[in-house]
Amino acid sequence: MYNTLLLLLIIPTLTSGQPGKCDQTPPQATVLTPSENKGIYTMTIDMKSKNQNIYRPDQTYVLIVTSNDVKRPFKWFMITVEDPEVDNSSYEFDHRSVDVGSLKTLDTNRQSRYSERCYNSVENTDNTDKYRVEIHWVSPKQSDKKQRVRLRAMVAENSEVWYVGENLTIELGKDTTKPLDSPPFPPVDSCNLCSEARYEVIFKGHWSRMSHPRNYPIKPDNNGYSHLVGASHSYKYILWQEGDKASPGLKKLAEQRDISVIEREIINAMSVHNGTRTLIRGKRRDHPYMFEPSHSLFRVDRIHHLFSLVIAMKPSPDWFLGVTRFELCTELGWLESHELPLYPWDAGTMDGISYESATSSTQPVDTVDRVAVGSFDKESPFYQMNLNDLKPFGHLQVRRLDVYPLVGDDCVEGINEHEGSQEQEAGSENVEEVIEEPLIQAIKQDPSLQEDNCALSEWSEWSKCAPDTGYCGMGTQLRSRYRNDRKVYFETYQDQEDFQDGYKSQANMAANCRQKQDGALIESQNCFVDCL
């Protein structure tokens, strides 16, 4: 009987303050009406932006409550974050049903604690005189585009004088502008351009002790970027995307800088009518050559008018740079050029707070998301840092080299394209002189091939010798041919460094042809690369 009675007394105390609007009246107050605040006490928020009335999702902001009179300290305070719509809701409105972010107390600041009276609130821990209190607010990670948030503070000088309302309330709307690393145009499901285009993409890394000094790796000689890897692809194809779980290929790339699996995923998705068209591959850059650019060339068409790519960082738990679903087809024709900054993403497969921290597999596996910018762990390179403060880890530049009209293609454009390959000829020639890229494979429609003719084509030239391990030693060369009933074939571009998976992908494509016992479609032979 005694235990039952005690339980009944405790439960209302801990939960009665949860639903509805938080009552910030100090428990010690003998006067239940707040006094008029004439600017003595204020709450401000450090937005680090020109617009002080908006917040960016999943960012850390500093709330500062101050006394502007050296003779008027405050003893008690309370700060609450809530949905402004709570004013129009019933008493039973539950704050937990709406994401308004969260308040965080600082390890070095023992003046505050999480409130037991109200949900998503912090309050004082003692009765000492205070002139300034700082609290961190982490904005909502995901919220409706129209989501607004209200931050309210209460300060009390004593049991008879306390303040709320004006100067102690901040209301913010969500920033709907695109992040700095967003592509310039949203993806479109249909591209009506009667042409194809050839592009160059260049990655330049900027990660260094000077630009990102906090917890920079102790042994920078081990630092590096993986190969740049990606694809030009159709609207429905997704290489990676925020909020999705990482594919096995992205997992292996982000954790080990190994591109073999993600390349195979891209090659297996090659299709004339959907999926991927060109495999993008750029050189791997290790210390001390991390700031040298990595190049690749690729093609796009009316079906495959987007591209996505990734670059892993070493050392890191599972962090990578990249862009996803970059749209190149615009109302004015193929995009001419664009440059955008790159910031780290987290593949969600490994736990680890810093570049060199001990890691373990994330259980359960999380989704792809931004790295923990604004982390409250001091070992994090992004400790209490806003994304606006973070310098880019690299830049990605994409520029159009050529446009190829589709002669005889039955299509109607919405506009006239005044794009020609001549305008880029000089630049293209210069590019070819300086770029030493891999053999990149891309599929293309070939209307001249007949379905009923299953004869084999002539063998291609042998590919360059690709070492089995490392950069020299024993390796393998490949050559291939195709059955003429296939309606697709592979274009080969000399792009960056020796590459053979494109040849191997022809074997995958050939599986779609009806089976005939008339010889192999791909052959290999041993070779050797001198270790100079």
Side-chain angles (χ1 to χ4, degrees), residues 213-467:
R214 185 173 183 87
N215 291 333
Y216 191 75
I218 298 175
K219 298 179 180 179
D221 289 349
N222 296 329
N223 292 5
Y225 301 110
S226 71
H227 293 279
L228 177 151
V229 62
S232 60
H233 58 83
S234 66
Y235 176 78
K236 293 184 178 180
Y237 177 82
I238 296 176
L239 180 66
W240 70 276
Q241 185 169 258
E242 181 180 10
D244 289 353
K245 290 186 177 180
S247 69
L250 179 58
K251 178 180 186 296
K252 194 173 185 91
L253 173 74
E255 294 177 5
Q256 304 176 27
R257 289 204 310 169
D258 187 334
I259 64 173
S260 60
V261 178
I262 196 169
E263 278 186 344
R264 179 54 53 193
E265 291 174 350
I266 293 170
I267 292 171
N268 290 342
M270 283 185 172
S271 169
V272 171
H273 304 294
N274 203 346
T276 61
R277 168 167 177 163
T278 305
L279 173 65
I280 298 172
R281 192 174 192 258
K283 281 187 177 180
R284 183 175 65 185
R285 296 301 186 190
D286 292 306
H287 181 85
Y289 307 108
M290 290 178 60
F291 305 113
E292 292 188 5
S294 181
H295 304 257
S296 186
L297 304 181
F298 65 92
R299 288 208 182 195
V300 291
D301 55 43
R302 299 170 60 197
I303 302 299
H304 313 89
H305 47 91
L306 302 99
F307 81 93
S308 303
L309 55 81
V310 288
I311 308 105
M313 299 170 53
K314 174 189 175 183
S316 74
D318 57 351
W319 300 344
F320 66 94
L321 309 174
V323 64
T324 181
R325 296 170 62 79
F326 191 116
E327 181 61 77
L328 296 168
C329 179
T330 77
E331 293 181 355
L332 300 177
W334 294 109
L335 179 70
E336 290 191 14
S337 64
H338 188 74
E339 183 173 318
L340 75 166
L342 299 179
Y343 301 92
W345 292 87
D346 189 327
T349 60
M350 296 292 288
D351 291 328
I353 193 64
S354 188
Y355 303 118
E356 300 176 296
S357 61
T359 59
S360 61
S361 297
T362 301
Q363 297 295 335
V365 174
D366 207 346
T367 58
V368 175
D369 206 344
R370 296 279 188 190
V371 294
V373 177
S375 170
F376 290 89
D377 192 316
K378 291 184 177 180
E379 294 184 2
S380 170
F382 318 109
Y383 174 66
Q384 297 182 5
M385 183 179 294
N386 192 292
L387 188 61
N388 291 335
D389 305 326
L390 187 62
K391 292 184 179 180
F393 277 62
H395 275 85
L396 196 71
Q397 181 183 11
V398 57
R399 63 189 186 113
R400 192 184 71 207
L401 300 179
D402 299 286
V403 174
Y404 308 98
L406 297 179
V407 179
D409 194 75
D410 184 18
C411 69
V412 178
E413 296 183 30
I415 59 160
N416 283 327
E417 277 188 279
H418 298 290
E419 307 167 327
S421 60
Q422 295 180 353
E423 66 187 47
Q424 295 288 351
E425 283 184 358
S428 178
E429 291 175 1
N430 293 333
V431 169
E432 298 298 337
E433 291 177 3
V434 299
I435 298 178
E436 297 178 358
E437 307 288 357
L439 295 174
I440 295 301
Q441 300 297 319
I443 60 172
K444 183 177 180 180
Q445 188 82 22
D446 186 355
S448 66
L449 300 177
Q450 301 298 319
E451 288 190 14
D452 296 332
N453 183 8
C454 268
L456 293 174
S457 69
E458 297 295 328
W459 285 106
S460 68
E461 297 292 330
W462 286 104
S463 68
K464 291 184 178 181
C465 186

Side-chain angles (χ1 to χ4, degrees), residues 142-154:
Q142 299 290 340
S143 61
D144 185 85
K145 290 183 178 180
K146 297 181 180 180
Q147 175 71 50
R148 297 191 65 82
V149 171
R150 182 170 58 200
L151 300 150
R152 290 192 294 126
M154 178 279 298

Side-chain angles (χ1 to χ4, degrees), residues 498-529:
D498 296 342
F499 176 56
Q500 59 177 336
D501 278 341
Y503 287 104
K504 295 178 183 178
S505 68
Q506 297 193 34
N508 294 334
M509 296 295 295
N512 296 325
C513 178
R514 57 184 175 273
Q515 299 297 316
K516 295 181 72 68
Q517 302 299 322
D518 51 6
L521 296 177
I522 190 166
E523 286 187 347
S524 64
Q525 68 178 17
N526 293 331
C527 57
F528 186 82
V529 178

Side-chain angles (χ1 to χ4, degrees), residues 55-347:
Y55 69 87
R56 299 185 65 184
D58 198 22
Q59 297 295 294
T60 300
Y61 298 98
V62 180
L63 299 175
I64 306 170
V65 177
T66 57
S67 170
N68 299 314
D69 189 336
V70 294
K71 298 180 180 179
R72 303 280 293 274
F74 56 94
K75 294 182 179 296
W76 309 314
F77 71 89
M78 186 178 195
I79 301 175
T80 300
V81 56
E82 62 192 5
D83 183 351
E85 292 297 320
V86 69
D87 292 341
N88 302 320
S89 302
S90 67
Y91 178 77
E92 295 302 322
F93 177 87
D94 193 340
H95 286 275
R96 288 167 290 190
S97 64
V98 180
D99 182 9
V100 293
S102 58
L103 297 172
K104 303 288 185 181
T105 61
L106 303 179
D107 294 338
T108 57
N109 186 349
R110 301 185 181 279
Q111 295 176 308
S112 59
R113 65 181 180 185
Y114 297 104
S115 174
E116 295 181 354
R117 293 194 294 140
C118 291
Y119 187 72
N120 240 340
S121 299
V122 295
E123 58 188 4
N124 56 282
T125 56
D126 56 44
N127 298 330
T128 60
D129 289 344
K130 305 170 185 65
Y131 292 92
R132 178 186 175 95
V133 172
E134 290 188 6
I135 300 294
H136 281 186
W137 171 58
V138 181
S139 59
K141 189 171 185 178
Q142 299 290 340
S143 61
D144 185 85
K145 290 183 178 180
K146 297 181 180 180
Q147 175 71 50
R148 297 191 65 82
V149 171
R150 182 170 58 200
L151 300 150
R152 290 192 294 126
M154 178 279 298
V155 296
E157 294 183 33
N158 50 56
S159 61
E160 298 180 350
V161 182
W162 57 282
Y163 307 90
V164 293
E166 188 176 2
N167 297 317
L168 292 171
T169 300
I170 299 173
E171 189 165 321
L172 304 170
K174 181 180 178 181
D175 184 2
T176 56
T177 60
K178 297 188 301 183
L180 296 175
D181 56 352
S182 297
F185 298 99
V188 294
D189 57 357
S190 178
C191 177
N192 297 320
L193 301 180
C194 285
S195 60
E196 298 182 357
R198 186 168 69 109
Y199 280 89
E200 176 192 20
V201 63
I202 305 172
F203 166 71
K204 295 180 180 179
H206 303 315
W207 180 33
S208 70
R209 190 182 300 277
M210 295 295 293
S211 59
H212 306 87
R214 185 173 183 87
N215 291 333
Y216 191 75
I218 298 175
K219 298 179 180 179
D221 289 349
N222 296 329
N223 292 5
Y225 301 110
S226 71
H227 293 279
L228 177 151
V229 62
S232 60
H233 58 83
S234 66
Y235 176 78
K236 293 184 178 180
Y237 177 82
I238 296 176
L239 180 66
W240 70 276
Q241 185 169 258
E242 181 180 10
D244 289 353
K245 290 186 177 180
S247 69
L250 179 58
K251 178 180 186 296
K252 194 173 185 91
L253 173 74
E255 294 177 5
Q256 304 176 27
R257 289 204 310 169
D258 187 334
I259 64 173
S260 60
V261 178
I262 196 169
E263 278 186 344
R264 179 54 53 193
E265 291 174 350
I266 293 170
I267 292 171
N268 290 342
M270 283 185 172
S271 169
V272 171
H273 304 294
N274 203 346
T276 61
R277 168 167 177 163
T278 305
L279 173 65
I280 298 172
R281 192 174 192 258
K283 281 187 177 180
R284 183 175 65 185
R285 296 301 186 190
D286 292 306
H287 181 85
Y289 307 108
M290 290 178 60
F291 305 113
E292 292 188 5
S294 181
H295 304 257
S296 186
L297 304 181
F298 65 92
R299 288 208 182 195
V300 291
D301 55 43
R302 299 170 60 197
I303 302 299
H304 313 89
H305 47 91
L306 302 99
F307 81 93
S308 303
L309 55 81
V310 288
I311 308 105
M313 299 170 53
K314 174 189 175 183
S316 74
D318 57 351
W319 300 344
F320 66 94
L321 309 174
V323 64
T324 181
R325 296 170 62 79
F326 191 116
E327 181 61 77
L328 296 168
C329 179
T330 77
E331 293 181 355
L332 300 177
W334 294 109
L335 179 70
E336 290 191 14
S337 64
H338 188 74
E339 183 173 318
L340 75 166
L342 299 179
Y343 301 92
W345 292 87
D346 189 327

